[in-house]
Amino acid sequence: MAHQKVDTTQGECTPLLITQQQSYVTTKREVIGLILVAGYALVTSTAAALVKVGAHAFPSSQIVFSRSVIQTTLGLIGCLWIRVPPLGQHEVRKWVLLRGLVGASALVLGYYSLVYLPLSDFTVMMNLETIFAAILAAIVLQEPFGWYERACLIACMVGTVIVTKPTFLFGRVGTDDDPEGGDSVGYSTHLPAVLAVLVSALLSAVAYVIIRKAGPRAHFLNYVLAFGAAGVIVSGLKFQDFCKPKETYQYFVLGSIGVLSFVGQSFINLGLQMVRTGPGTLMLMNETVFVFLYGVFIFQERPDTLSILGAIMIVGASVALGLKKK
């Protein structure tokens, strides 16, 4: 009677190998997601620098309107090109529309508060979206947010405060032209602006959780298109006097802001589909570092030792979070 050789290792090793392979794919996907979110921070900070340049020639509502029109146009072309329903499949359409409405509302409130608040105060309070997103994701999506992520979050928040030096902690820094230290804003306008930026940060966090809630069922271009279309409607309602560009570089500024917004929204919507909300939004704090670098190399702003230390803290915490995923 011939003896049949039985492979006893296959049944034991295959499940382990499959588990390891699945874990590797998941980790690789999360790392790519983190890189995309960090890319969004870079693109957004570049657009913010261009907005600072364009604000000398155009009202903010016109910048938002032109940006939204370009983003909507490119989003629609992208959906038609790859044959994706512009508003997504029927089962996720409500999430796509809700994300667009929430995002546009956050944008309007953010621009309103930016008019009345110092940039440093606005940046710190807007970065609260990271905390709001982590809390909402833990409650709504049951996503874990352990001590390691919390430590990185605290380091990033402290670094952001050090870089931006908000006036409510450091006071106003005076100059020769403005010894009182910046624009004086009355209580009647300051308080609504503070409430507006806090609500904007909360709405931004809600938008990020919506992306995670819908998951890959909705294409990232659906979110880009919906957000852009909502931005056109909302900014159109508040549109101020139209200022026609007078020089070539002004056309370039408006066009670049729109294109960068499209690229940035593609990065953030795709990235958050690949990584958990808490670590994903934590990478958004790198925007503070990029804005800091633009201020140094483009706008000739001279940082002090504390600012450099804060930037190092933000980058270090973000890198530590990324290394943990590898």
Side-chain angles (χ1 to χ4, degrees):
M1 184 178 196
H3 295 282
Q4 184 178 4
K5 185 177 181 180
V6 179
D7 187 358
T8 59
T9 61
Q10 183 177 0
E12 297 176 357
C13 296
T14 300
L16 178 59
L17 291 175
I18 293 177
T19 302
Q20 291 176 342
Q21 185 177 11
Q22 290 175 343
S23 177
Y24 170 77
V25 172
T26 302
T27 302
K28 183 179 179 181
R29 178 181 175 86
E30 290 188 350
V31 171
I32 294 175
L34 290 174
I35 293 175
L36 287 173
V37 176
Y40 163 79
L42 173 60
V43 172
T44 301
S45 60
T46 305
L50 290 174
V51 169
K52 188 173 183 179
V53 174
H56 296 289
F58 309 104
S60 60
S61 59
Q62 182 173 344
I63 296 176
V64 174
F65 184 81
S66 63
R67 157 195 158 157
S68 300
V69 168
I70 295 174
Q71 179 179 319
T72 303
T73 302
L74 294 178
L76 181 59
I77 292 175
C79 288
L80 297 177
W81 181 267
I82 62 177
R83 299 181 180 179
V84 171
L87 295 180
Q89 301 296 334
H90 179 72
E91 63 270 14
V92 295
R93 190 163 298 169
K94 61 180 181 180
W95 298 114
V96 172
L97 295 176
L98 183 60
R99 189 267 183 268
L101 178 61
V102 170
S105 300
L107 181 64
V108 170
L109 290 173
Y111 269 80
Y112 165 78
S113 61
L114 188 56
V115 173
Y116 298 103
L117 291 177
L119 182 59
S120 58
D121 292 11
F122 172 82
T123 302
V124 170
M125 285 186 277
M126 196 64 203
N127 276 338
L128 291 174
E129 65 183 0
T130 300
I131 299 177
F132 294 152
I135 295 174
L136 287 175
I139 296 174
V140 178
L141 305 177
Q142 302 298 314
E143 290 188 356
F145 196 69
W147 66 267
Y148 190 91
E149 288 84 359
R150 294 174 190 174
C152 292
L153 174 62
I154 293 174
C156 279
M157 284 301 300
V158 172
T160 299
V161 171
I162 293 176
V163 170
T164 57
K165 297 181 181 62
T167 59
F168 58 82
L169 290 179
F170 292 85
R172 292 186 179 273
V173 180
T175 62
D176 294 337
D177 297 329
D178 185 12
E180 297 298 325
D183 299 333
S184 58
V185 180
Y187 179 81
S188 59
T189 54
H190 185 271
L191 181 59
V194 170
L195 294 177
V197 70
L198 292 177
V199 175
S200 177
L202 178 59
L203 290 177
S204 297
V206 171
Y208 300 147
V209 173
I210 290 174
I211 296 173
R212 289 292 296 169
K213 178 68 176 178
R217 295 178 297 170
H219 197 277
F220 71 90
L221 285 177
N222 297 146
Y223 296 122
V224 175
L225 176 60
F227 179 48
V232 170
I233 296 173
V234 175
S235 61
L237 295 176
K238 297 186 62 178
F239 200 86
Q240 302 170 6
D241 294 335
F242 176 79
C243 297
K244 183 179 179 180
K246 299 178 181 179
E247 300 182 26
T248 303
Y249 89 91
Q250 294 178 345
Y251 285 101
F252 172 79
V253 168
L254 289 179
S256 297
I257 292 173
V259 173
L260 289 173
S261 297
F262 168 76
V263 174
Q265 285 299 313
S266 298
F267 282 176
I268 186 66
N269 286 294
L270 180 58
L272 287 180
Q273 288 181 333
M274 304 173 70
V275 68
R276 289 183 289 118
T277 308
T281 54
L282 177 58
M283 299 299 288
L284 293 176
M285 290 193 175
N286 283 298
E287 183 179 350
T288 304
V289 178
F290 295 133
V291 171
F292 167 79
L293 294 176
Y294 281 129
V296 173
F297 294 106
I298 296 180
F299 299 106
Q300 304 300 315
E301 298 173 355
R302 294 186 177 182
D304 55 17
T305 305
L306 278 179
S307 296
I308 297 175
L309 176 62
I312 293 175
M313 289 181 64
I314 297 173
V315 174
S318 301
V319 171
L321 183 65
L323 292 177
K324 182 176 181 290
K325 293 295 177 184
K326 292 185 179 182

